Amino acid sequence: MTTKDLELTSETIVAFIGDIFNRRGADSYLGEQVTMSQHMLQGAFFAEQSGAKDELIAAALLHDIGHYTNEFPEDALEKGVNNYHDTAGAAVLAPFFPRVVTDCVRHHVGAKRYLCATDPSYFARLSEASVHSLELQGGPMSDTEVEVFRQNPNLDDILQVRFWDEDGKDPSLETPPFEHYAPVLQRVVDRFAIKT
Ligand SMILES: [Fe+2]
């Protein structure tokens, strides 16, 4: 039995995600100088360095997991989710992680569009690849979209995870491996499992 055949539970989900990092992490990250796992680990690294709570370290680590939803069992996506990696990532995490984590994952593309519309200095932080994908993602938000986005109770956390997303594109930065963050993920999963 491979990890891919594991039934996903709060006991198996962290190892399952770790297996994705180990097998697929070397994939390139859409025109950036870092691999997918470097990018996500760097996000978690910056979150941890800044003393962020476990949930935000988890969100930074997993924000792009939606690029790997084909690794998850088919029923993980059965709730009519489209192929966009932000919403797909949130959908596969939702059974195991609290809303603050899934909100940060679901809205990390929206956060870029929001910040481009509301913060003139933000656009300068975007990488070349991220400027290109901004166009494909709909460009800066309209005033109406900004108003709706602002209502999210997790707005500050969503924006913070987006800033770590921007920072996590440095090919020379070494980070601890996935295993360093696995206990953080497990704490978040366990706390959520107790509540549900
Ligand atoms: Fe990212």
Side-chain angles (χ1 to χ4, degrees):
M1 178 158 147
T2 67
T3 311
K4 199 170 179 199
D5 299 319
L6 273 180
E7 189 196 345
L8 292 187
T9 68
S10 55
E11 277 87 50
T12 62
I13 184 69
V14 176
F16 181 85
I17 291 170
D19 182 59
I20 295 174
F21 267 76
N22 288 331
R23 285 187 298 104
R24 304 287 307 278
D27 291 2
S28 66
Y29 176 43
L30 309 170
E32 302 287 359
Q33 301 287 311
V34 288
T35 66
M36 283 301 300
S37 64
Q38 278 179 312
H39 171 59
M40 299 205 286
L41 288 166
Q42 287 184 10
F45 174 79
F46 288 119
E48 186 178 48
Q49 290 285 304
S50 70
K53 60 186 177 184
D54 288 346
E55 284 75 7
L56 292 197
I57 298 171
L61 182 67
L62 302 178
H63 76 273
D64 273 333
I65 199 73
H67 287 298
Y68 298 114
T69 48
N70 63 337
E71 298 281 348
F72 282 74
E74 288 203 357
D75 63 354
L77 283 174
E78 72 188 0
K79 291 173 189 148
V81 177
N82 63 30
N83 285 328
Y84 291 102
H85 81 280
D86 44 1
T87 49
V92 295
L93 297 178
F96 308 105
F97 291 88
R99 179 176 164 187
V100 62
V101 174
T102 55
D103 268 0
C104 291
V105 174
R106 177 179 293 108
H107 297 298
H108 77 273
V109 173
K112 178 168 81 168
R113 298 184 55 232
Y114 173 88
L115 286 163
C116 284
T118 59
D119 179 354
S121 66
Y122 174 76
F123 184 81
R125 293 177 64 167
L126 294 182
S127 65
E128 202 179 316
S130 197
V131 169
H132 176 67
S133 61
L134 174 67
E135 288 307 310
L136 303 174
Q137 291 156 347
M141 281 185 173
S142 67
D143 291 350
T144 313
E145 288 175 309
V146 164
E147 278 315 305
V148 172
F149 199 76
R150 207 168 251 158
Q151 308 297 321
N152 192 303
N154 293 314
L155 178 66
D156 290 347
D157 291 336
I158 291 166
L159 298 182
Q160 184 56 66
V161 168
R162 181 69 219 186
F163 292 135
W164 292 323
D165 186 354
E166 242 61 76
D167 293 338
K169 299 174 182 178
D170 178 353
S172 65
L173 176 67
E174 301 262 347
T175 70
F178 175 86
E179 288 67 29
H180 172 79
Y181 300 103
V184 178
L185 292 186
Q186 195 64 56
R187 282 198 295 275
V188 176
V189 167
D190 289 345
R191 283 198 285 267
F192 182 68
I194 287 168
K195 281 192 196 157
T196 52

PDB file of all heavy atoms in Angstrom, residues 29 39 63-64 108 165 169, ligand 1:
ATOM      1  N   TYR A  29       8.295  25.959 -10.049  1.00  0.00           N
ATOM      2  CA  TYR A  29       7.204  26.805  -9.591  1.00  0.00           C
ATOM      3  C   TYR A  29       6.961  27.895 -10.622  1.00  0.00           C
ATOM      4  O   TYR A  29       7.459  29.011 -10.519  1.00  0.00           O
ATOM      5  CB  TYR A  29       7.547  27.389  -8.211  1.00  0.00           C
ATOM      6  CG  TYR A  29       6.516  28.365  -7.678  1.00  0.00           C
ATOM      7  CD1 TYR A  29       5.164  28.118  -7.784  1.00  0.00           C
ATOM      8  CD2 TYR A  29       6.906  29.547  -7.076  1.00  0.00           C
ATOM      9  CE1 TYR A  29       4.218  29.007  -7.309  1.00  0.00           C
ATOM     10  CE2 TYR A  29       5.971  30.449  -6.593  1.00  0.00           C
ATOM     11  CZ  TYR A  29       4.635  30.167  -6.717  1.00  0.00           C
ATOM     12  OH  TYR A  29       3.710  31.068  -6.256  1.00  0.00           O
ATOM     13  N   HIS A  39       9.611  26.983  -2.333  1.00  0.00           N
ATOM     14  CA  HIS A  39       8.700  28.128  -2.213  1.00  0.00           C
ATOM     15  C   HIS A  39       7.790  27.979  -0.986  1.00  0.00           C
ATOM     16  O   HIS A  39       7.656  28.908  -0.183  1.00  0.00           O
ATOM     17  CB  HIS A  39       7.865  28.240  -3.488  1.00  0.00           C
ATOM     18  CG  HIS A  39       6.761  29.238  -3.397  1.00  0.00           C
ATOM     19  ND1 HIS A  39       6.992  30.567  -3.132  1.00  0.00           N
ATOM     20  CD2 HIS A  39       5.411  29.101  -3.520  1.00  0.00           C
ATOM     21  CE1 HIS A  39       5.835  31.206  -3.105  1.00  0.00           C
ATOM     22  NE2 HIS A  39       4.855  30.340  -3.322  1.00  0.00           N
ATOM     23  N   HIS A  63      -0.115  26.873   1.196  1.00  0.00           N
ATOM     24  CA  HIS A  63      -0.965  27.751   0.375  1.00  0.00           C
ATOM     25  C   HIS A  63      -1.042  27.316  -1.080  1.00  0.00           C
ATOM     26  O   HIS A  63      -2.044  27.556  -1.748  1.00  0.00           O
ATOM     27  CB  HIS A  63      -0.512  29.219   0.505  1.00  0.00           C
ATOM     28  CG  HIS A  63       0.719  29.544  -0.267  1.00  0.00           C
ATOM     29  ND1 HIS A  63       1.976  29.368   0.235  1.00  0.00           N
ATOM     30  CD2 HIS A  63       0.879  30.027  -1.525  1.00  0.00           C
ATOM     31  CE1 HIS A  63       2.865  29.727  -0.677  1.00  0.00           C
ATOM     32  NE2 HIS A  63       2.236  30.133  -1.753  1.00  0.00           N
ATOM     33  N   ASP A  64      -0.001  26.646  -1.581  1.00  0.00           N
ATOM     34  CA  ASP A  64      -0.028  26.219  -2.989  1.00  0.00           C
ATOM     35  C   ASP A  64      -0.302  24.726  -3.151  1.00  0.00           C
ATOM     36  O   ASP A  64      -0.063  24.167  -4.228  1.00  0.00           O
ATOM     37  CB  ASP A  64       1.306  26.574  -3.670  1.00  0.00           C
ATOM     38  CG  ASP A  64       1.310  27.989  -4.234  1.00  0.00           C
ATOM     39  OD1 ASP A  64       0.224  28.494  -4.575  1.00  0.00           O
ATOM     40  OD2 ASP A  64       2.402  28.584  -4.336  1.00  0.00           O
ATOM     41  N   HIS A 108      -5.420  33.313  -1.400  1.00  0.00           N
ATOM     42  CA  HIS A 108      -4.077  33.887  -1.600  1.00  0.00           C
ATOM     43  C   HIS A 108      -3.917  34.534  -2.969  1.00  0.00           C
ATOM     44  O   HIS A 108      -3.132  35.470  -3.126  1.00  0.00           O
ATOM     45  CB  HIS A 108      -2.953  32.884  -1.284  1.00  0.00           C
ATOM     46  CG  HIS A 108      -2.680  31.840  -2.313  1.00  0.00           C
ATOM     47  ND1 HIS A 108      -3.352  30.650  -2.366  1.00  0.00           N
ATOM     48  CD2 HIS A 108      -1.790  31.813  -3.341  1.00  0.00           C
ATOM     49  CE1 HIS A 108      -2.867  29.922  -3.368  1.00  0.00           C
ATOM     50  NE2 HIS A 108      -1.937  30.607  -3.974  1.00  0.00           N
ATOM     51  N   ASP A 165       4.183  34.599   0.879  1.00  0.00           N
ATOM     52  CA  ASP A 165       4.171  33.998  -0.454  1.00  0.00           C
ATOM     53  C   ASP A 165       5.132  34.786  -1.359  1.00  0.00           C
ATOM     54  O   ASP A 165       5.980  34.201  -2.066  1.00  0.00           O
ATOM     55  CB  ASP A 165       2.725  34.061  -0.984  1.00  0.00           C
ATOM     56  CG  ASP A 165       2.501  33.345  -2.297  1.00  0.00           C
ATOM     57  OD1 ASP A 165       3.484  32.872  -2.904  1.00  0.00           O
ATOM     58  OD2 ASP A 165       1.335  33.253  -2.709  1.00  0.00           O
ATOM     59  N   LYS A 169      10.564  33.306  -2.580  1.00  0.00           N
ATOM     60  CA  LYS A 169      10.986  33.039  -3.960  1.00  0.00           C
ATOM     61  C   LYS A 169      12.481  33.285  -4.123  1.00  0.00           C
ATOM     62  O   LYS A 169      12.947  33.715  -5.171  1.00  0.00           O
ATOM     63  CB  LYS A 169      10.172  33.929  -4.922  1.00  0.00           C
ATOM     64  CG  LYS A 169       8.672  33.641  -4.841  1.00  0.00           C
ATOM     65  CD  LYS A 169       7.806  34.574  -5.660  1.00  0.00           C
ATOM     66  CE  LYS A 169       6.334  34.197  -5.457  1.00  0.00           C
ATOM     67  NZ  LYS A 169       5.405  35.078  -6.178  1.00  0.00           N
TER      68      LYS A 169
HETATM   69 FE    FE B   1       2.743  30.772  -3.766  1.00  0.00          FE
END
